[in-house]
Amino acid sequence: MKDYLKDRAGIFLILLFLGCFGNFYLVFLCASHLYFQDLLYLDLLFLAAALAGFLWDLCRWKKAGDYLKGKISLTPAEQEKLFGKKTAAYIQKKEEEQGREVRRLLGEQEDLIEYIGKWSHEAKLPLAALKLINERNQDREASFQMKDSIARMESLIHTVMLGSKLHHPEHDVRFEKISLKEAVGEALKNQSYFLIHHNFEIKEETGKIQVYTDKRWLVYLLDQLIQNGVKYRSQHPFLAFKAVKEEQGCVTLYVEDNGLGIASEDLPFIFRKGFVGKNHRKGDYRSTGMGLYFVKEICELLHIEIRVFSEPGKGSRFAFRFQDLSEHLLL
């Protein structure tokens, strides 16, 4: 309402001036032939007309605002009625231009995703060859360094391939009933080289609990958390996975580590794209600020609620709450 009053302030001042001038004219120039009841009647008619015009204009203003904000859609005829012929023609022209631009950008995005997918699969072939060549390497130190680099490259390629699909997942999400134990086991297997190399202690307490979600995206989410756990590990690192059934069929999966932890002032921003906390700005950690951003995006994609509890020097605890989607999926 405040915005409307600001937009129409000039019109209201003109109406006020006209009303005051009309009263002045009738009182001072026609006083001998004017009754007070007639003046009051004319003022009431003027106020009624002004109020009707105000309500009509307010409805049009709100409708135009909702349309410009994308809340409602209007047919060309409705646009012409609301904005006038010239303005409606200009809006339709801009909408057509915008539609063409959106289609062009979507096509480019599709081409880029397809290219990244092909590149990722092609890049796996030379990595597989390097693995075979490295097995014949007699230099143990060089062999170890090569194996470490290959494992990192495989992890990065996997991240790039799925990350490229994250913002265009319409045809790449399949909700089904899966075992949390299997999903956690697959993520641990994906990161097994780093977990074994850094002597991680693993605790897995998911039991036979199942949830409705997309297994591949969930495994990718867990991959990101495990990678963070490895990257910011403590001297005697451990990772714990625990699933708990709650009321109304909901399930919460807890993922906990005893690593570096997150500063309290950084917690509200850790899911922002490219955000690097104050503990990771000294160059000691190869942080890109993308891991937890991907985690948050996947949670939104899979309708998972996420909470984070962390204390610097004592590690972090992530809680993922899965909704009971059985009735919805059965429909």
Side-chain angles (χ1 to χ4, degrees):
M1 181 61 74
K2 289 182 179 179
D3 293 335
Y4 173 75
L5 294 176
K6 288 180 181 178
D7 288 347
R8 298 295 191 265
I11 297 175
F12 292 149
L13 289 175
I14 291 173
L15 290 175
L16 181 63
F17 171 77
L18 290 175
C20 293
F21 177 78
N23 278 274
F24 173 82
Y25 179 83
L26 292 173
V27 169
F28 289 95
L29 298 182
C30 305
S32 59
H33 304 286
L34 181 70
Y35 293 101
F36 175 76
Q37 295 88 340
D38 296 333
L39 181 62
L40 180 62
Y41 178 72
L42 290 173
D43 284 343
L44 289 175
L45 285 177
F46 179 78
L47 286 175
L51 180 60
F54 165 76
L55 293 175
W56 175 78
D57 187 59
L58 178 62
C59 291
R60 285 171 55 87
W61 182 85
K62 284 185 175 181
K63 190 175 183 179
D66 290 341
Y67 171 74
L68 294 175
K69 292 176 183 177
K71 294 181 179 179
I72 61 173
S73 59
L74 298 176
T75 64
E78 290 173 332
Q79 291 177 6
E80 186 174 324
K81 185 177 179 181
L82 185 61
F83 298 107
K85 288 185 177 181
K86 291 185 177 180
T87 304
Y90 177 78
I91 290 174
Q92 291 167 23
K93 180 182 177 182
K94 286 298 180 182
E95 285 181 343
E96 290 174 0
E97 292 177 357
Q98 186 180 18
R100 287 194 295 269
E101 182 67 11
V102 168
R103 287 191 293 272
R104 184 184 68 81
L105 292 174
L106 287 175
E108 291 181 358
Q109 186 182 37
E110 288 280 1
D111 293 341
L112 179 60
I113 291 173
E114 184 179 356
Y115 171 77
I116 291 174
K118 290 180 178 179
W119 178 89
S120 300
H121 287 294
E122 291 293 330
K124 289 178 181 180
L125 295 176
L127 285 178
L130 284 174
K131 280 185 178 180
L132 294 174
I133 295 171
N134 193 47
E135 289 178 0
R136 299 195 297 269
N137 193 344
Q138 301 298 320
D139 188 334
R140 295 187 63 184
E141 183 177 352
S143 177
F144 170 77
Q145 291 177 354
M146 180 68 76
K147 190 175 182 181
D148 183 77
S149 296
I150 291 172
R152 291 183 184 278
M153 281 298 298
E154 287 179 331
S155 178
L156 289 171
I157 288 173
H158 184 66
T159 298
V160 167
M161 185 169 62
L162 286 179
S164 66
K165 296 180 180 180
L166 187 57
H167 296 287
H168 194 67
E170 290 85 353
H171 306 293
D172 200 33
V173 178
R174 179 184 176 187
F175 283 88
E176 58 184 343
K177 195 172 186 178
I178 68 163
S179 166
L180 282 177
K181 189 179 188 70
E182 291 180 4
V184 170
E186 188 172 331
L188 290 172
K189 183 180 179 182
N190 292 342
Q191 307 299 322
S192 59
Y193 172 79
F194 303 107
L195 296 173
I196 294 171
H197 175 63
H198 295 294
N199 298 314
F200 264 77
E201 178 187 352
I202 306 296
K203 295 181 179 178
E204 190 271 321
E205 300 177 2
T206 55
K208 297 181 180 180
I209 295 178
Q210 295 180 318
V211 295
Y212 285 91
T213 189
D214 184 288
K215 184 178 180 180
R216 184 168 60 161
W217 284 112
L218 178 60
V219 170
Y220 179 56
L221 180 153
L222 295 173
D223 278 344
Q224 299 302 312
L225 288 182
I226 295 172
Q227 287 177 18
N228 273 8
V230 171
K231 193 181 297 184
Y232 310 124
R233 63 188 177 275
S234 63
Q235 191 173 359
H236 303 287
F238 83 86
L239 278 170
F241 301 85
K242 184 178 181 180
V244 178
K245 279 189 175 181
E246 299 179 356
E247 295 180 357
Q248 300 177 345
C250 297
V251 172
T252 299
L253 173 65
Y254 296 97
V255 182
E256 186 175 358
D257 65 58
N258 65 338
L260 183 67
I262 304 168
S264 58
E265 59 268 31
D266 288 340
L267 275 175
F269 313 106
I270 60 174
F271 296 115
R272 286 187 179 178
K273 188 176 183 178
F275 177 77
V276 179
K278 71 174 187 178
N279 292 330
H280 313 323
R281 296 181 186 140
K282 300 176 183 178
D284 299 331
Y285 304 93
R286 290 171 294 213
S287 179
T288 61
M290 297 300 291
L292 291 181
Y293 165 74
F294 283 144
V295 167
K296 181 64 174 178
E297 291 290 301
I298 295 169
C299 284
E300 292 180 359
L301 175 66
L302 302 181
H303 308 290
I304 300 173
E305 296 177 19
I306 180 173
R307 292 173 294 163
V308 186
F309 311 90
S310 186
E311 189 175 345
K314 294 186 178 180
S316 304
R317 190 186 196 198
F318 291 80
F320 300 94
R321 190 169 186 265
F322 297 82
Q323 304 293 330
D324 182 10
L325 303 177
S326 55
E327 292 184 4
H328 172 73
L329 293 175
L330 286 172
L331 289 174

